[in-house]
Amino acid sequence: MAERPVIVVIDDEQQMRRFLKACFDPTEAELLEAENGSEGMRLVAHSNPDVVLLDLGLPDMDGIEVARQLREWTQVPIIVLSARGREKDKIEALDAGADDYLTKPFGVGELQARIRVTLRHVARSKGPNPDPVFESGDLRVDLPKRRVFVAGNEVHLTPIEFKLLSQLIRHAGMVLTHKQLLTEVWGPAYTDETHYLRVYMGQLRHKLEVDAARPKHITTEPGVGYRLLVD
């Protein structure tokens, strides 16, 4: 990945593209713009960007279809920026291949933070030897040894709890839908068994959080899924 990340913006609103361009110092990031889906996909193919910022309401095709087509040939991180705030739209975009979702209007700081998390995630996944130990706040997880520590004290997880936490760690900072977690942890036949997630996520929070009612590590994306926060 280049020192100055390349970000492709696919959005038909000129005002939004100007706003996004103003969010980043040109010495720190290069923004390339497309105003429709077809142009955006050509731009992604040509520029090989580090991140794609994708609107859903495009004039020539739905942004969800753009994400789906991009995923056929590239793993570039996709962050959806959309005025559609319904759970159904978020789930559909994430299941189509988007890595994250921000509902308009959003703050500059939150967008920049999501991009930083995405770039760190890409850097880790591209590394020859991904860091086997995950640390965030008072949480420390040694993945090869399957050992979990909270504030220096070892916490014992069941195999399912550890598998669930491992999936969240592999996508730390990003939202994982119920369907994605159920598929990875229990298998494709269990994608409708959301009550499994509620039960095991509750158990996991009671073991990892100081206050399970106000979690600092695993947050809920209402109706969509879960996100493991990173420092």
Side-chain angles (χ1 to χ4, degrees), residues 63-216:
I64 289 173
E65 182 58 26
V66 173
R68 192 173 287 117
Q69 289 191 30
L70 286 174
R71 278 292 168 261
E72 292 177 0
W73 52 271
T74 178
Q75 290 303 308
V76 62
I78 301 170
I79 301 177
V80 168
L81 310 177
S82 178
R84 303 181 196 172
R86 297 181 305 170
E87 292 172 2
K88 176 180 178 294
D89 295 310
K90 294 180 181 180
I91 293 168
E92 193 173 0
L94 292 164
D95 284 343
D99 297 279
D100 210 342
Y101 195 114
L102 273 174
T103 303
K104 298 176 181 176
F106 48 81
V108 174
E110 183 176 11
L111 173 62
Q112 292 174 334
R114 296 283 181 92
I115 290 176
R116 286 195 299 271
V117 166
T118 299
L119 293 176
R120 287 202 301 270
H121 179 75
V122 171
R124 286 198 302 269
S125 65
K126 287 184 177 179
N129 293 302
D131 192 346
V133 178
F134 173 83
E135 294 185 85
S136 181
D138 63 358
L139 176 64
R140 184 175 184 272
V141 182
D142 188 321
L143 291 165
K145 295 181 180 178
R146 303 175 69 87
R147 299 183 71 185
V148 180
F149 301 85
V150 176
N153 299 311
E154 186 163 8
V155 175
H156 297 282
L157 303 184
T158 67
I160 290 289
E161 290 167 354
F162 187 83
K163 194 172 182 181
L164 189 57
L165 179 59
S166 298
Q167 285 301 317
L168 290 167
I169 288 173
R170 289 191 180 95
H171 302 275
M174 299 180 180
V175 61
L176 283 173
T177 66
H178 298 137
K179 181 179 178 182
Q180 289 169 330
L181 284 168
L182 286 164
T183 299
E184 292 299 327
V185 177
W186 283 275
Y190 294 84
T191 54
D192 294 327
E193 308 293 342
T194 53
H195 62 284
Y196 282 23
L197 273 181
R198 286 196 297 272
V199 170
Y200 279 93
M201 199 62 74
Q203 293 174 185
L204 197 54
R205 279 176 167 156
H206 277 291
K207 293 181 179 182
L208 302 184
E209 305 283 1
V210 174
D211 183 354
R214 288 180 289 184
K216 293 183 178 180

